[in-house]
DNA sequence: GTGGGAATGGAATGAAAATTCCATAAGCAC
DNA sequence: GTGCTTATGGAATTTTCATTCCATTCCCAC
């Protein structure tokens, strides 16, 4: 470790700042590496030294020297940084969950920190995984509907009620199917209507049934669920998979609500434009 | 290669389609893999078998079997698919943002970005402003209550229903006061009970009335509201001011829900410890 | 219960990748 | 040009990781 070495970058912003400062002072081959990495940051996360070296047109050993020159112990350490940024380093809540179970004397503010992080992570990854086209289609379908039906039971009931509130506030006709009194409300849904069905594992059968029945009745369906293996994902509909993070046995709803708000307001503005 | 094996997926859409179709028919461990992969697709691109297996809580060999069951020769081949897909999507990120800024402000993904930002900000400032001592007191009060009453109407109704769900799941006696049928339910609250009252501007009079009546009946009250000038803030109670960010006429609920989860789980663990 | 077949987990193996080392080449001062 | 320092490329080494194999367990049918 010679004294000219700068300290290790902690994130990619650090890293690129360092490149900016020291980039021009590097020897030829290392400069090639710097330029290649700057131009293809994402590729670093998913490639081997040999591949990157080939891309930068230098031998692998030169690339290794580059990594060390940037303050890392080697390529692996540098790659770790890019991988974390790239995958957002989804925290390992499974292991925290056991901590939650064992250490029963958890101070509430630690819990708050956990839930806050779960919420942030969920929202962050929502924005990266949502298909803009699906969003557009969902908004179009809902804006064109005569009546919007809403169903979400148990853990997703808050989302359904939020949508009901938002639509009411914008004076868009919407019906919340809550299952009160165990009445079947499937017959309310007809052609020209749309249904937003929300369900996470364990999937409430009533929600699935209502969604299936809506499809049979030629209503448009928008599905919000968690996984492609969900029974709701089998339905012919505009589908959203929301990457909500579990903390212990509880699931953050932040991302789902964010999506719900987006749909509601999107529909509102589109209707007004018509 | 047995005949039941499906042909190799060519892209991630293929892959998720296969998961959707065959996911439920898989044996337990392989299903865990399927779900983990579905929930964390980006992580697959940048992780090792061992890491993913740990994430899915299966041994590495099970994860290998999963890859082969999905039609790949092994993990490396499957990872290749994810790497290709995901390193292609990345460069769009910067251009996507600028497109968002330039393009019409009504595009749904622009809305999504706004709401996501609002949610993040709200949660962030919640963790900064919450008083740990108030949290501790609230949890103590609620954990000691015979029955926990919940009230939150209109825009805060989703929070109240979320709490109701959480308490039910943990088998903690809780009553959701929803005002259905316009029946007064204030008389249900008595000494030894606790009430969580949630209200944001414009404050629903029923919520305030119920909270005041609970105080008169010597019940403990926990208040979640937005401003110190709120009528709920005048009540003798453990008080939380949640700094939710408004987007247009709509308010993110992310921070409020995060606080609600914290209270619920905090009470749950504390009760179990008693 | 009991037998058979599928599923599982752990340890052994082999391949691939990162990292180091060293001989050679290039640049530079004198 | 000569000697010295720094840079370079390829090959050897070591570490990490994917993959396979097999003994054990689990589950279901009878």
């Amino acid at each position: 470790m010679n004294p000219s070495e700068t300290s290790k970058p902690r994130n990619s912003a650090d890293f690129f700042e360092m490149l900016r400062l020291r980039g021009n002072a590097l020897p030829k081959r290392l400069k090639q590496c710097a330029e290649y990495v700057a131009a293809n940051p994402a590729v670093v996360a998913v490639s081997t030294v040999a591949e990157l070296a080939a891309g930068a047109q230098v031998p692998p050993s030169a690339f290794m020297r580059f990594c060390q020159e940037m303050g890392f112990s080697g390529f692996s350490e540098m790659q770790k940084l890019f991988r974390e940024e790239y995958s957002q380093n989804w925290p390992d809540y499974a292991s925290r969950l056991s901590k939650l179970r064992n250490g029963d004397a958890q101070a509430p503010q630690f819990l708050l920190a956990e839930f806050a992080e779960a919420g942030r992570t969920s929202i962050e990854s929502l924005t990266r995984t949502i298909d803009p086209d699906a969003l557009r289609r969902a908004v179009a379908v809902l804006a064109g509907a005569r009546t919007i039906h809403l169903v979400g039971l148990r853990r997703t009931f808050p989302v359904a009620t939020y949508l009901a509130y938002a639509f009411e506030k914008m004076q868009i006709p919407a019906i919340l199917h809550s299952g009160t009194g165990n009445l079947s409300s499937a017959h309310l849904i007809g052609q020209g209507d749309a249904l937003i069905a929300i369900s996470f594992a364990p999937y409430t059968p009533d929600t699935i049934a209502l969604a299936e029945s809506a499809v049979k009745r030629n209503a448009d369906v928008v599905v919000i669920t968690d996984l492609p293996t969900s029974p709701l994902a089998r339905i012919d509909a505009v589908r959203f998979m929301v990457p909500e993070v579990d903390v212990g046995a509880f699931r953050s709803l932040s991302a789902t609500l964010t999506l719900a708000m987006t749909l509601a307001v999107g529909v509102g503005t589109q209707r007004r434009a018509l």
Side-chain angles (χ1 to χ4, degrees), chain A:
Chain A
M1 298 296 151
N2 68 58
S4 85
E5 286 220 12
T6 358
S7 66
K8 189 184 301 180
R10 288 238 279 294
N11 53 47
S12 68
D14 272 15
F15 178 84
F16 288 116
E17 178 63 13
M18 180 181 290
L19 274 191
R20 204 174 60 75
L21 293 174
R22 302 192 43 214
N24 287 314
L26 292 171
K28 186 175 159 212
R29 290 285 117 114
L30 302 202
K31 203 197 268 188
Q32 281 175 252
C33 296
E35 279 166 9
Y36 184 75
V37 169
N40 310 286
V43 177
V44 177
V46 296
S47 307
T48 66
V49 172
E51 285 163 354
L52 293 170
Q57 311 205 47
V58 302
S61 50
F63 201 92
M64 286 302 299
R65 259 177 277 125
F66 168 71
C67 298
Q68 287 162 353
E69 196 61 32
M70 297 312 290
F72 300 100
S73 69
F75 170 68
S76 299
E77 198 174 276
M78 173 171 134
Q79 190 179 46
K80 204 168 97 196
L81 185 149
F82 281 83
R83 290 188 162 174
E84 279 166 7
E85 297 257 330
Y86 180 74
S87 67
Q88 282 302 308
N89 199 30
W90 200 277
D92 184 10
Y93 282 100
S95 62
R96 298 191 190 185
L97 146 69
S98 55
K99 208 168 64 183
L100 238 171
R101 285 210 187 107
N102 303 335
D104 36 346
Q106 281 281 350
Q109 64 261 45
F110 292 140
L111 280 178
L112 180 68
E114 295 279 319
F115 287 125
E117 195 188 330
R120 268 197 307 255
T121 310
S122 296
I123 292 176
E124 174 67 29
S125 106
L126 175 76
T127 59
R128 280 185 297 114
T129 59
I130 275 298
D131 173 13
D133 191 56
L135 254 186
R136 235 190 327 272
R137 280 182 289 134
V139 168
V141 156
L142 295 170
R146 192 176 42 205
T147 302
I148 300 176
H149 297 262
L150 306 167
V151 62
L153 300 171
R154 304 205 39 85
R155 79 200 313 177
T156 62
F157 188 57
V159 184
T161 59
Y162 185 81
L163 283 166
Y165 166 76
F167 285 133
E168 188 225 86
K169 191 165 166 180
M170 295 186 291
Q171 302 184 34
I172 293 170
I175 295 175
L176 177 64
H177 293 246
S178 64
T180 313
N182 217 14
L183 297 171
S184 165
S185 47
H187 64 277
L188 291 174
I189 307 178
Q191 188 156 19
D193 288 354
L195 170 72
I196 305 181
I198 315 153
S199 187
F200 294 150
Y203 312 97
T204 310
D206 289 354
T207 306
I208 318 296
L210 194 67
E212 282 168 349
S213 132
V215 172
K216 280 208 196 87
R217 290 161 167 276
N218 292 313
D220 292 312
V221 178
V222 173
V223 154
I224 301 177
T225 190
D226 48 1
L227 298 170
T229 50
S230 151
L232 268 188
R234 283 197 290 273
I235 284 174
D236 177 31
V238 181
R239 288 188 283 265
F240 296 103
M241 313 295 166
V242 178
E244 208 68 83
V245 168
D246 286 332
V247 182
F250 290 87
R251 175 162 297 191
S252 153
L253 279 181
S254 298
T256 317
L257 271 170
T258 304
L259 176 60
M261 289 173 84
T262 305
L263 288 175
V265 175
V267 170
T269 53
Q270 185 144 336
R271 282 225 180 183
R272 220 165 298 146
L274 295 182

